[in-house]
Amino acid sequence: MRAAAAVAWMVATANHTAGAWSPGLQTAELLDHFGVIGSVSDRARILMKAAGVSVDGAPGCPELGDPALLASTRRRTIVHERDSAESESWER
C-alpha cells in the first residue's frame, strides 16, 4: 500500500491537487485513504528513479516528465506561466 500511496502522492503533488498547493485535499488525507501514516516521499523518489523520472526538482514538487500525467488544470497553469514569462521578456 505504501507504493500505491507514493504513486498517488507523486501525481497529486505534481498536479498541485493535494498538499501545500491545494485548498482542499491535504497530503495526510490522501495517504489516510491508503492506510499510510507518515511521508511517502522517499518511496516516491525510489519509484521515480526506477521509472527514469528526474528527481532533481524541488522537494515535494515532482516533475513527472510526461505531460499526460498532469491534469488539464495543471497543464493550463504551466502554459500560462510560460507565456507570461515569455511576454515579460519581450517587454524588456
Side-chain angles (χ1 to χ4, degrees), residues 35-54:
V36 173
I37 297 172
S39 176
V40 294
S41 61
D42 288 341
R43 178 66 58 93
R45 188 175 186 81
I46 291 167
L47 293 171
M48 287 170 39
K49 279 185 177 180
V53 175
S54 171

Side-chain angles (χ1 to χ4, degrees), residues 9 13 16 20-21 41 45 48 55-63:
W9 175 86
T13 303
H16 292 190
W21 300 280
S41 61
R45 188 175 186 81
M48 287 170 39
V55 293
D56 297 329
C61 188
E63 297 176 9

Side-chain angles (χ1 to χ4, degrees), residues 17-32:
T17 55
W21 300 280
S22 172
L25 184 65
Q26 296 302 306
T27 302
E29 294 170 313
L30 173 68
L31 299 181
D32 187 49

